[in-house]
Amino acid sequence: MGKKLYFDKSYVIFMSFLLLIICNTQAQVNITASSGVTSGSFTTLKGAFDAINSGTHTGTLTVTISANTTETASAVLNASGDGNASYSSINIYPTVSGLSISGNLSLPLIDLNGADNATIDGRVNASGSTINLTIINTNATNVSSTIRFINDASTDTVKYCELKGAPTQTSSITPVSGIIN
């Protein structure tokens, strides 16, 4: 006959608290929203954008980056009103200096797909004059891009960021490297 394990209630509470701390320390990207689910934590910008696109976070949104992120797929932000996405503006900025959003993607690293009123501000807490965010797509092909504005994405701003992208294009195809509009 097997032994039954019994856990003290305080042990279960302590382990739950420890798990919560571990999960929160892994989050590099945080969202605060004026409606819907008012906060969320993610390990990538793509994860945050996916939650916005699904309508989890709505209204006026602030996306803060507290540690470097490595994107393994394009971080696509759809237009408000496209599917369940519903926001009036999005402000994205780092909370500490020297951060990067990076990836090695043959697609755009950040894809503003009809997204309007999005601001990517590379200054810590969106203030001061020092560049503290590098956005880099290390893919060495001629078909990658760092930030793409597509499907009438407008009134978007990228400021105080260091942008790095694909090498100079050598073919005659439509340009797709760097920032694309």
Side-chain angles (χ1 to χ4, degrees):
M1 216 182 229
K3 292 184 178 182
K4 289 186 178 183
L5 290 175
Y6 294 97
F7 293 103
D8 182 275
K9 190 175 185 179
S10 61
Y11 175 77
V12 172
I13 291 170
F14 172 75
M15 291 307 289
S16 298
F17 179 72
L18 186 60
L19 182 60
L20 181 64
I21 289 173
I22 290 169
C23 288
N24 281 337
T25 59
Q26 305 247 345
Q28 292 95 326
V29 181
N30 296 291
I31 295 179
T32 56
S34 63
S35 57
V37 176
T38 58
S39 65
S41 297
F42 306 90
T43 56
T44 63
L45 186 62
K46 178 192 180 338
F49 283 1
D50 287 350
I52 294 166
N53 291 337
S54 71
T56 302
H57 308 287
T58 59
T60 301
L61 305 175
T62 300
V63 178
T64 58
I65 302 178
S66 59
N68 295 331
T69 72
T70 301
E71 306 297 323
T72 58
S74 289
V76 178
L77 179 62
N78 292 329
S80 183
D82 184 9
N84 292 322
S86 178
Y87 57 87
S88 55
S89 66
I90 300 178
N91 291 307
I92 304 165
Y93 57 84
T95 58
V96 296
S97 62
L99 295 184
S100 67
I101 300 169
S102 65
N104 183 359
L105 306 177
S106 60
L107 299 169
L109 183 68
I110 298 173
D111 202 356
L112 300 178
N113 181 22
D116 296 333
N117 303 316
T119 299
I120 303 173
D121 188 336
R123 301 173 297 167
V124 171
N125 297 319
S127 66
S129 60
T130 304
I131 294 172
N132 280 297
L133 182 62
T134 300
I135 305 171
I136 181 171
N137 188 350
T138 59
N139 192 281
T141 67
N142 287 334
V143 295
S144 64
S145 61
T146 304
I147 300 175
R148 178 171 71 168
F149 301 86
I150 192 168
N151 293 328
D152 201 30
S154 59
T155 62
D156 297 313
T157 303
V158 178
K159 60 184 180 180
Y160 295 98
C161 294
E162 181 178 1
L163 303 175
K164 297 180 180 180
T168 303
Q169 192 160 326
T170 57
S171 67
S172 61
I173 62 173
T174 303
V176 292
S177 60
I179 296 178
I180 303 300
N181 188 2

